[in-house]
Amino acid sequence: MRQEKNVTKATSWIVLAFSLALLMVALPVAAEDAKAKDVVTIGYQPSTHQIAFTTAYQKGYYNETLSPLGVKEVKAYSFPTGAPEIQALLAGDIDVAYVGSAPFVTGVANGLHAKIIAAVNTQGSDLVLKKDLPYTSPADLKGLKIATFPAGTIQDTLLRDWLKKNGLDADKDVEIVPLGPGDAITAFLAGKVDAAFLPHPSPVTIEDSGAGKIIVHSGEIEADHSCCVLVATDDVIKNNPEIVEQVLKAHLKATEYNAANQEEAAKHLSELTGLDPSIIQKSFDEWDGQFVSDPAKITTSVENFANVQKDLGYIKNPVSEKELFDTGFWDKVKA
């Protein structure tokens, strides 16, 4: 009898231990539920390219779509170029970003865990030259100082590849000066650089000042190249997929609105960034950019940036479409 009681007692402890184990297994589920976000952070750059973000933000599209999910605030963070924006993604400071596809490729190749969920635009950057300098071909740029965005960005990658294809060494035949848009414009107007390759509306700002002339559109450098993309971190994709879906819906709604309400779109961009609305309007008239949302239309171009950046020495190995894109949200929203 005593042995039977001991067995029963031991069995009770086993049942209790098993119950505790089940409770411990259940805890991660509770923690997963606790990952509901009340603040969503979005990075962007003050340019015509990313006007879908400024419209969505200024018109309250994010509040409409995210509030029902418990999101109390959407915080917007402005970056001068894609390089520091990628650093913010790597640091976990932002959940979603409107950013150039080329710096995104660099980021993923260097450990960034994020995916492109939609395209934003193609083309839309211009090479601007001092008004008194002649230009008939890329050979005329030899010996000049050219301001553009920092290494690994869309503009830097395109410019260096284009120069190479036209027989110029970007490190010997020209001097490339890495600057953000404001500093590049200032340097151009002060005569410290001879040319600038920048996204809109910066080329129009220089042209409007009378100091420079647009000589090459980025679509002439690479036709239909991907420029800005909408990116979400793997963390928010995994833990808050419904937020990612609604952010994509807001992006599509804003893109559609902008197509029908260009003047209002310029106003929203101006209100958030301080850019002159007349310059933004002129940018729409002069740039070769196209607002494109379908990620399938840019996959080849983005993968090409990976190959170019490997050739330039920016990354060790090309990254694949699978590493760069998550088209599941697009497929769901457009179904």
Side-chain angles (χ1 to χ4, degrees):
M1 287 292 291
R2 182 175 298 173
Q3 184 180 2
E4 183 179 353
K5 285 182 180 179
N6 288 339
V7 171
T8 302
K9 186 175 181 180
T11 303
S12 297
W13 278 108
I14 291 170
V15 171
L16 177 60
F18 185 68
S19 299
L20 287 171
L22 285 176
L23 180 60
M24 293 302 291
V25 170
L27 284 177
V29 174
E32 194 74 22
D33 290 340
K35 287 185 178 179
K37 291 176 71 67
D38 59 2
V39 176
V40 173
T41 50
I42 303 180
Y44 76 100
Q45 296 167 45
S47 77
T48 312
H49 295 211
Q50 300 180 11
I51 200 167
F53 168 74
T54 54
T55 292
Y57 187 79
Q58 292 296 94
K59 287 185 69 63
Y61 291 169
Y62 296 116
N63 293 335
E64 293 172 12
T65 59
L66 297 179
S67 292
L69 301 177
V71 175
K72 297 177 182 177
E73 184 180 7
V74 173
K75 291 184 176 180
Y77 292 92
S78 178
F79 296 87
T81 70
E85 194 170 4
I86 293 299
Q87 289 300 316
L89 281 166
L90 280 163
D93 294 334
I94 52 177
D95 304 307
V96 176
Y98 281 77
V99 68
S101 53
F104 178 70
V105 165
T106 309
V108 171
N110 287 284
L112 173 63
H113 299 293
K115 299 290 186 296
I116 296 169
I117 61 169
V120 173
N121 78 297
T122 59
Q123 306 184 153
S125 298
D126 286 338
L127 180 61
V128 190
L129 185 66
K130 277 184 178 179
K131 206 167 185 178
D132 58 346
L133 293 179
Y135 181 82
T136 55
S137 72
D140 293 328
L141 301 175
K142 190 170 183 177
L144 301 187
K145 286 186 177 181
I146 308 173
T148 196
F149 281 7
T153 56
I154 288 283
Q155 290 72 28
D156 171 81
T157 302
L158 282 173
L159 178 61
R160 288 176 181 274
D161 189 49
W162 179 67
L163 290 171
K164 181 180 179 181
K165 288 176 179 176
N166 284 277
L168 293 173
D169 188 319
D171 296 316
K172 296 178 181 179
D173 293 326
V174 300
E175 181 180 345
I176 294 180
V177 183
L179 295 170
D183 289 338
I185 292 170
T186 299
F188 195 107
L189 298 182
K192 294 181 178 179
V193 296
D194 306 298
F197 184 49
L198 302 168
H200 273 259
S202 295
V204 170
T205 301
I206 293 172
E207 184 183 60
D208 204 57
S209 73
K213 55 188 177 184
I214 294 172
I215 57 170
V216 180
H217 295 303
S218 63
E220 298 173 71
I221 291 175
E222 183 182 324
D224 300 319
H225 70 82
S226 169
C227 197
C228 294
V229 289
L230 179 58
V231 168
T233 64
D234 285 359
D235 180 69
V236 74
I237 286 173
K238 177 183 177 182
N239 296 311
N240 306 96
E242 69 287 348
I243 288 178
V244 177
E245 182 181 337
Q246 294 306 319
V247 165
L248 176 55
K249 285 183 177 179
H251 168 65
L252 295 177
K253 184 177 180 179
T255 301
E256 184 177 345
Y257 175 89
N258 290 345
N261 302 275
Q262 203 173 85
E263 188 174 334
E264 286 298 310
K267 178 183 175 183
H268 293 310
L269 177 58
S270 174
E271 289 172 344
L272 192 60
T273 65
L275 294 170
D276 185 337
S278 67
I279 292 293
I280 299 167
Q281 283 285 358
K282 191 174 180 182
S283 173
F284 282 134
D285 296 334
E286 295 196 18
W287 80 332
D288 68 346
Q290 298 289 327
F291 293 112
V292 175
S293 298
D294 186 350
K297 294 183 177 181
I298 63 166
T299 52
T300 300
S301 178
V302 175
E303 285 188 287
N304 183 57
F305 280 134
N307 294 323
V308 172
Q309 290 195 345
K310 181 177 181 296
D311 291 341
L312 291 173
Y314 290 164
I315 62 177
K316 291 183 179 180
N317 297 297
V319 285
S320 66
E321 179 181 333
K322 185 177 180 180
E323 294 173 281
L324 295 166
F325 288 84
D326 184 338
T327 59
F329 295 98
W330 174 268
D331 296 339
K332 184 177 181 180
V333 168
K334 300 301 288 187

